Amino acid sequence: MAIKSLDTLRPIIGKELDEFEVRFRNAMKSSVPLLDKITYYLIKRRGKQLRPMLVFFSAGIHGEINDSTYRAAALIELLHNATLVHDDVVDDTYKRRGAFSINALWKNKVAVLVGDYMLSRGLLLAVHDKEFQLLELVSTAVQKMSEGELLQIEKTRKLNITESEYFEIIANKTASLVAACCAAGAASTGANEEIVKHAWNMGEMLGMAFQIKDDLLDYGTGHDIGKPTGTDIKEKKMSLPLIFALEQSSYLEKKSILSKLKNKSAEKATAVQILDFVKEKKGLEYAQNKMYEYREKSKVLLNEMPNTPYKTSFEELIEFVTERDK
């Protein structure tokens, strides 16, 4: 039975996560009062610590959690949070996870500089302790995330994303970061290159499943099936359920749906019409089956890893990713 919350897994690495929070706050410290105020705000509104959990579980599977593991988790959090702050500026987003974004409270210029500061802190953390392998893994993920975002922007303008392009986008934009978490955790224990690559591949499969689940939730799957949030539709983003539905459609059907998405994406009625269209063409079922395929690929790779209590917890985390309702 799938766990309902990541909090269920927290006690297994609770001491490590608590220690990580202390180290992460120290890594963010500055002599500039405004910067300290903003970083305190950022830390306070952080989510469920999924990324550090991935790092610690992967390290626990492959060896002992150590100082390098904490640095790996901090490096990923710093660089990832830098990209989020910059994303909010680029997208003119004023809320994230129900809280005001940095650009909403302190304006764009400050937000960009805060993102730059976190990026530099992450780089210095790695260089100071000569964690060059960790830096390479995380930098690779950030590069892929940028490429995925740019490809999505390009394709969104033309509304012509194919299924293969969609998978390329989410592999870069989302799955690469999950992959970096798993690979960095393994690398922090001194694992060889082959094992680190194996951990990357497992994380990538998990990341693919994670993003497809996110896309399904935008259509209201879970407890609120039939009540779409419609965020992707409003932003004219084409995810797998819609891409598949369009591929099953006639020329006139496709033209009608794309016209609504292009010209009326902000209207509530459009979200409902597109949901009905996607359901009729079995787009939700198709996407869900693809999600489960990636989940199983991740499990197969996990099963080839050493048997430890962390491995059992990681399997439960994989289940949570695809069964969550938010």
Side-chain angles (χ1 to χ4, degrees):
M1 185 176 178
I3 60 173
K4 299 295 183 183
S5 169
L6 285 178
D7 292 338
T8 305
L9 298 177
R10 185 181 170 87
I12 300 161
I13 50 172
K15 290 180 180 178
E16 289 83 356
L17 288 174
D18 289 341
E19 174 67 17
F20 167 73
E21 284 301 303
V22 174
R23 296 190 185 206
F24 185 69
R25 283 197 297 272
N26 289 335
M28 293 277 281
K29 278 184 178 178
S30 165
S31 59
V32 179
L34 175 60
L35 195 48
D36 266 354
K37 183 178 181 180
I38 295 172
T39 55
Y40 174 77
Y41 176 77
L42 277 170
I43 291 169
K44 191 174 158 184
R45 69 181 180 91
R46 283 170 63 236
K48 295 288 187 181
Q49 297 180 305
L50 174 60
R51 289 172 298 276
M53 289 178 79
L54 289 168
V55 174
F56 287 126
F57 281 142
S58 182
I61 290 170
H62 294 98
E64 296 290 330
I65 294 172
N66 56 59
D67 285 341
S68 183
T69 310
Y70 287 105
R71 286 193 286 270
L75 176 59
I76 285 171
E77 283 293 270
L78 284 164
L79 297 189
H80 178 57
N81 277 278
T83 65
L84 293 182
V85 172
H86 285 162
D87 282 349
D88 288 341
V89 174
V90 171
D91 297 335
D92 287 325
T93 301
Y94 296 113
K95 280 200 170 182
R96 181 175 288 277
R97 290 195 291 265
F100 286 112
S101 60
I102 302 304
N103 51 304
L105 295 173
W106 287 281
K107 306 303 179 186
N108 286 350
K109 185 174 182 179
V110 171
V112 170
L113 291 170
V114 169
D116 291 347
Y117 173 77
M118 288 190 287
L119 179 64
S120 66
R121 289 298 297 166
L123 296 174
L124 285 170
L125 177 70
V127 171
H128 182 268
D129 292 292
K130 297 181 172 54
E131 297 282 13
F132 300 120
Q133 185 181 18
L134 298 181
L135 182 57
E136 181 181 6
L137 289 168
V138 179
S139 297
T140 298
V142 173
Q143 175 187 320
K144 287 178 176 292
M145 289 161 67
S146 301
E147 291 172 343
E149 188 72 50
L150 287 167
L151 179 58
Q152 184 174 56
I153 290 170
E154 178 188 1
K155 291 297 178 178
T156 298
R157 287 173 179 167
K158 298 178 181 179
L159 297 180
N160 63 345
I161 299 177
T162 64
E163 186 172 323
S164 62
E165 287 170 337
Y166 165 81
F167 286 126
E168 181 183 355
I169 287 168
I170 69 169
N172 285 339
K173 189 177 173 183
T174 302
S176 62
L177 182 64
V178 179
C181 290
C182 298
S188 74
T189 67
N192 64 40
E193 189 175 336
E194 183 180 350
I195 291 173
V196 171
K197 179 62 177 174
H198 188 90
W200 177 285
N201 291 338
M202 180 196 67
E204 185 175 42
M205 295 301 100
L206 176 58
M208 297 291 281
F210 183 95
Q211 183 58 56
I212 297 172
K213 180 64 175 182
D214 261 8
D215 293 340
L216 283 166
L217 289 171
D218 197 67
Y219 282 90
T221 58
H223 295 313
D224 294 321
I225 183 71
K227 297 179 182 177
T229 62
T231 301
D232 286 348
I233 293 170
K234 289 174 187 174
E235 296 177 359
K236 301 179 185 179
K237 291 179 181 176
M238 294 176 63
S239 59
L240 186 57
L242 178 57
I243 292 167
F244 176 80
L246 288 169
E247 288 175 349
Q248 311 309 306
S249 306
S250 67
Y251 171 78
L252 290 177
E253 283 178 315
K254 187 174 182 179
K255 184 178 178 181
S256 174
I257 290 296
L258 289 178
S259 176
K260 286 184 175 70
L261 190 62
K262 183 177 181 180
N263 302 308
K264 300 180 179 180
S265 64
E267 297 180 10
K268 289 183 179 180
T270 298
V272 175
Q273 289 168 349
I274 291 179
L275 171 66
D276 290 341
F277 168 74
V278 168
K279 288 171 67 177
E280 179 189 343
K281 299 296 183 180
K282 301 191 183 302
L284 298 178
E285 294 173 30
Y286 180 80
Q288 189 171 56
N289 287 335
K290 283 293 182 182
M291 176 189 70
Y292 287 138
E293 284 179 23
Y294 281 111
R295 182 182 73 180
E296 291 312 305
K297 288 177 181 178
S298 182
K299 282 185 177 181
V300 167
L301 292 170
L302 176 65
N303 286 337
E304 295 172 2
M305 294 177 178
N307 289 318
T308 74
Y310 296 101
K311 180 177 176 179
T312 302
S313 297
F314 203 111
E315 188 165 9
E316 291 177 337
L317 188 151
I318 292 174
E319 288 289 330
F320 168 79
V321 161
T322 52
E323 300 302 327
R324 62 198 164 96
D325 54 22
K326 62 181 179 179

